[in-house]
Amino acid sequence: MKFDCHMHTPLCGHALGHTAEYVREAAKRRFDLVTFTCHIPMRDVGFGDGAIRMGMKDLDQYFRLVDEGRKVGEEFGVEVLTGIEAEVFPSESIMKEQDKILGDYPFEFVLGSLHHHTDIFQKWLRKHSIDSDFERIDSYFRILADAVRTGRYDSMAHPDVIRIYGTVTEMDPLEHKEVIISFLRAAAEEDVCIEVNTSGLRKGVYTVHPDPFILEWAKELGVKLTMGSDSHTPDTVGYHFHDVAKQLAGMGFESLYYHKNRVQVPEPIANFI
């Protein structure tokens, strides 16, 4: 089984375990391919009150850590790739530094994530007088739609993560169907995947990201899927993948996708069940 698995390293400041431990866990789960996607360095976009992501000085060490995991993978028949979790933010000036990193380093896979709970994004909302929960949620999906049209990203990570972390009281996808459909249609037109992120089963309302309603709309529009566990500890690698794959198959999805050298590769979903 081959996955864009969405795994982190301690360099981001909020993950535990050596890359070799993540790879050994992937081998136990009989994965043939996994990809590390730690948070990209950005000076101005942190989490909460701190910049909880690797710094520019850590990028070379990140590649070394993944290479150490790759060597362990060779022992167990697991191919290990180096990806990155890049940021989505509605300011091209802030994105310029990230674009240079994406151009200078040979990432195999680029996830796009809008972390709505960062101080800088909350300031952006206030600056643009986006105050109500309804406006905040709509703006979140509009920004994601714009992001998939930039060509920066291969897949959009945990695409309804705004429903957790407390920045909105609640999110009913049906109340935002029009803007969510616009985002999904953009993903289909640009051939950008969305991520089924199983970490939602560990937190929040204990449902995968995105919500099953959104997955149904994605199927109708022909949106392609990657799957990741958003692992910050080795024991969560591949968290509930088999169960979620069965759910996706029941919805009519036939393939999941992984990426090598930024190119989509389909893997029959039947292989995961």
Side-chain angles (χ1 to χ4, degrees):
M1 299 178 289
K2 297 177 172 63
F3 289 102
D4 289 333
C5 204
H6 194 163
M7 303 184 300
H8 292 266
T9 75
L11 292 175
C12 72
H14 59 289
L16 301 172
H18 192 279
T19 51
E21 296 176 75
Y22 288 77
V23 174
R24 289 191 185 99
E25 186 64 30
K28 287 180 186 177
R29 296 179 180 269
R30 300 181 182 179
F31 295 167
D32 303 315
L33 181 147
V34 292
T35 305
F36 283 91
T37 51
C38 211
H39 295 283
I40 198 167
M42 292 189 76
R43 286 177 292 187
D44 298 322
V45 183
F47 293 105
D49 295 324
I52 306 177
R53 54 176 72 244
M54 75 176 95
M56 281 297 300
K57 62 179 176 55
D58 298 321
L59 266 171
D60 290 338
Q61 185 182 356
Y62 174 56
F63 275 82
R64 286 195 295 271
L65 281 174
V66 177
D67 192 55
E68 290 172 11
R70 181 178 296 112
K71 290 174 182 175
V72 171
E74 289 172 356
E75 299 175 24
F76 293 96
V78 180
E79 186 175 3
V80 178
L81 303 181
T82 308
I84 199 76
E85 184 173 357
E87 197 68 28
V88 172
F89 193 78
S91 169
E92 285 302 306
S93 61
I94 287 179
M95 291 291 97
K96 284 182 180 177
E97 181 177 346
Q98 176 174 265
D99 285 345
K100 186 175 189 312
I101 296 170
L102 294 178
D104 288 349
Y105 287 84
F107 299 114
E108 299 263 13
F109 174 53
V110 178
L111 270 171
S113 296
L114 172 52
H115 292 101
H116 60 98
H117 52 297
T118 55
D119 287 348
I120 191 170
F121 187 67
Q122 292 300 307
K123 289 176 183 176
W124 182 89
L125 291 172
R126 291 192 292 271
K127 178 181 178 181
H128 292 84
S129 301
I130 300 171
D131 301 317
S132 71
D133 282 2
F134 191 92
E135 293 172 318
R136 284 169 172 254
I137 293 167
D138 266 17
S139 69
Y140 171 87
F141 284 102
R142 282 196 296 269
I143 292 165
L144 288 185
D146 290 340
V148 300
R149 296 187 181 99
T150 65
R152 288 188 179 104
Y153 313 104
D154 302 317
S155 183
M156 306 308 292
H158 40 57
D160 65 349
V161 75
I162 192 170
R163 75 179 191 221
I164 67 173
Y165 298 125
T167 59
V168 297
T169 303
E170 60 181 353
M171 188 196 110
D172 181 350
L174 293 173
E175 293 180 358
H176 303 273
K177 183 174 181 178
E178 182 177 353
V179 69
I180 295 172
I181 289 290
S182 294
F183 156 59
L184 295 173
R185 185 171 288 117
E189 291 172 352
E190 299 297 327
D191 202 21
V192 173
C193 298
I194 66 169
E195 181 195 44
V196 179
N197 187 306
T198 63
S199 73
L201 293 165
R202 303 195 298 270
K203 52 194 176 184
V205 294
Y206 304 104
T207 306
V208 294
H209 297 297
D211 183 279
F213 277 115
I214 299 175
L215 285 169
E216 292 282 3
W217 300 333
K219 177 64 178 66
E220 292 171 6
L221 292 167
V223 179
K224 297 174 181 176
L225 306 179
T226 61
M227 190 150 72
S229 51
D230 208 345
S231 297
H232 290 71
T233 55
D235 60 305
T236 57
V237 171
Y239 185 80
H240 279 301
F241 274 16
H242 293 288
D243 293 337
V244 174
K246 289 179 183 178
Q247 176 186 346
L248 295 172
M251 291 180 174
F253 288 98
E254 296 180 355
S255 298
L256 291 168
Y257 289 79
Y258 66 96
H259 292 72
K260 293 188 71 171
N261 195 27
R262 306 288 308 272
V263 175
Q264 292 176 357
V265 184
E267 183 85 350
I269 205 165
N271 291 353
F272 306 107
I273 298 173

